[in-house]
Amino acid sequence: MTDTPAETDVAIIGAGPAGLFAAFQCAMLRLKCVLIDVLPEVGGQCAALYPEKPIYDIPACPAVEGAQLIARLEEQIAPFNIPRLLKHRAESLEGHRGNFTLGTNQGTMLKAKAIIIAAGAGAFGPNRPPLEGLEAFEDTGAVQYYVRRKADFAGRRIVIAGGGDSALDWALSLKDNAEKLYLVHRRDRFRGAPESLRQLDEAVAAGQIEKVVPYQLHALRGQNGALEGVEVADLDGATRMLEADVLLPFFGLATDLGPVARWGMDTMRATIPVTPSSCETSLPGVFAVGDVATYPGKLKLILQGFSEAAMAAHAIYPIVNPDQALHFEYSTSKGVPA
């Protein structure tokens, strides 16, 4: 990997799927770019939240795990040796279209002619349950919010809490590994795809999953961060103890645009409105792609983020090369630039 330059054509904030593909599209147009991400590795939510969870809506891939998708995107940009600033949060932005100065929390200052924000859900973190002594159990891994390796949960007594897709999907995914698996929700109704709900009913009938409804998390029992049980309470306050080694609470993500929201562009509920044809924000020269971008008819699919990355790169080309016309060629015709 090359050293990070002091100047570049495009600064790409966010190294998840949309950011990685934006880097590829820029490189195919011979636009220099730098990837910036607050996480210590590329991949965004795919790497941090569900590396082993299958994704079904990537064209030509019937199913691909999050980590596999990131690995293929990394392979795609490898020939371009694109610099990256990891563990860097984009903090400040000054200047104007064609001449920006971007500052990070590490004190790095980067000059760029255009900016692509591919920050996914923004600065994200789990919604943590309000349980006494939670931190001690988090420190030992007895309470976890992400499943990075399914093998780590083999033979363990698992409590999964939540009623959405993540809770449902991981319950189905871990049921064959666990010694015992409880699924806790405040009502006997789960939000998921019809096929997932059917599979849940089958797993419950087979004794692979025990539904604990209508209950909510009440307390954690154990010593020195070693979990012995999860106490749950029903709507009347009656409690029940579930013997467990690990708790996986899936209550969604708390998202925040962070410093980006103070850069002077229009925002809307932790998203950034863009012009659909170019993905340019209300701040000229700043573009947004992927989940962070919004416009009428927007679909929050990774494949849509890929399309937006291509549109943004092509819209940026005349900013970087104002005196050159872009004669578009298919990649099948021109290949990867040498």
Side-chain angles (χ1 to χ4, degrees), residues 317-330:
Y317 186 89
I319 299 175
V320 177
N321 303 291
D323 300 323
Q324 296 180 28
L326 174 59
H327 299 291
F328 177 72
E329 294 181 68
Y330 293 109

Side-chain angles (χ1 to χ4, degrees), residues 64-223:
V64 60
E65 292 181 352
Q68 293 173 331
L69 175 62
I70 297 306
R72 299 303 299 272
L73 288 164
E74 281 258 69
E75 183 182 345
Q76 189 176 36
I77 65 172
F80 303 107
N81 206 26
I82 294 170
R84 57 194 68 182
L85 288 169
L86 300 178
K87 297 185 181 178
H88 281 67
R89 181 189 297 276
E91 293 280 350
S92 63
L93 184 69
E94 298 179 354
H96 53 82
R97 188 176 191 263
N99 186 19
F100 289 110
T101 300
L102 177 71
T104 77
N105 63 330
Q106 301 289 347
T108 300
M109 305 301 288
L110 178 67
K111 286 191 171 294
K113 297 175 182 177
I115 309 291
I116 294 178
I117 302 171
F124 61 86
N127 286 317
R128 302 164 72 236
L131 300 174
E132 186 177 345
L134 178 65
E135 233 174 74
F137 294 100
E138 291 174 333
D139 290 343
T140 62
V143 175
Q144 299 184 37
Y145 303 97
Y146 316 125
V147 176
R148 291 184 172 85
R149 283 176 14 101
K150 289 190 292 186
D152 293 342
F153 297 89
R156 306 188 76 183
R157 299 169 300 173
I158 304 169
V159 174
I160 292 179
D165 284 322
S166 291
L168 188 57
D169 290 349
W170 281 121
L172 294 171
S173 183
L174 295 174
K175 63 180 174 60
D176 295 326
N177 290 40
E179 176 186 321
K180 177 71 177 179
L181 195 149
Y182 302 95
L183 181 57
V184 178
H185 189 38
R186 66 182 184 275
R187 56 182 179 172
D188 191 8
R189 193 173 175 184
F190 294 84
R191 301 182 307 277
E195 175 60 17
S196 297
L197 295 172
R198 186 194 65 78
Q199 291 180 31
L200 174 62
D201 289 340
E202 282 188 356
V204 170
Q208 296 173 300
I209 296 173
E210 181 178 340
K211 283 197 299 185
V212 183
V213 294
Y215 280 89
Q216 300 185 69
L217 299 181
H218 184 67
L220 301 176
R221 303 302 180 197
Q223 295 183 351

Side-chain angles (χ1 to χ4, degrees), residues 14-25 35 42-43 70 73-74 77 84:
L20 291 171
F21 194 68
F24 173 74
Q25 287 293 310
L35 282 162
V42 301
I70 297 306
L73 288 164
E74 281 258 69
I77 65 172
R84 57 194 68 182

Side-chain angles (χ1 to χ4, degrees), residues 232-272:
V232 295
D234 66 16
L235 302 181
D236 297 321
T239 61
R240 177 186 171 188
M241 180 65 66
L242 308 176
E243 293 184 356
D245 306 305
V246 62
L247 168 65
L248 300 174
F250 294 116
F251 298 137
L253 298 175
T255 59
D256 182 5
L257 286 176
V260 169
R262 300 191 291 272
W263 289 357
M265 71 195 82
D266 294 341
T267 62
M268 184 173 66
R269 296 190 299 276
T271 61
I272 303 174

Side-chain angles (χ1 to χ4, degrees), residues 16-18 21 46 50 53-70 72-73 76 300-307:
F21 194 68
C46 277
Y50 45 90
K53 186 175 179 181
I55 302 168
Y56 299 105
D57 55 13
I58 304 300
C61 297
V64 60
E65 292 181 352
Q68 293 173 331
L69 175 62
I70 297 306
R72 299 303 299 272
L73 288 164
Q76 189 176 36
K300 283 200 171 185
L301 296 173
I302 293 176
L303 64 90
Q304 186 123 16
F306 291 160
S307 172

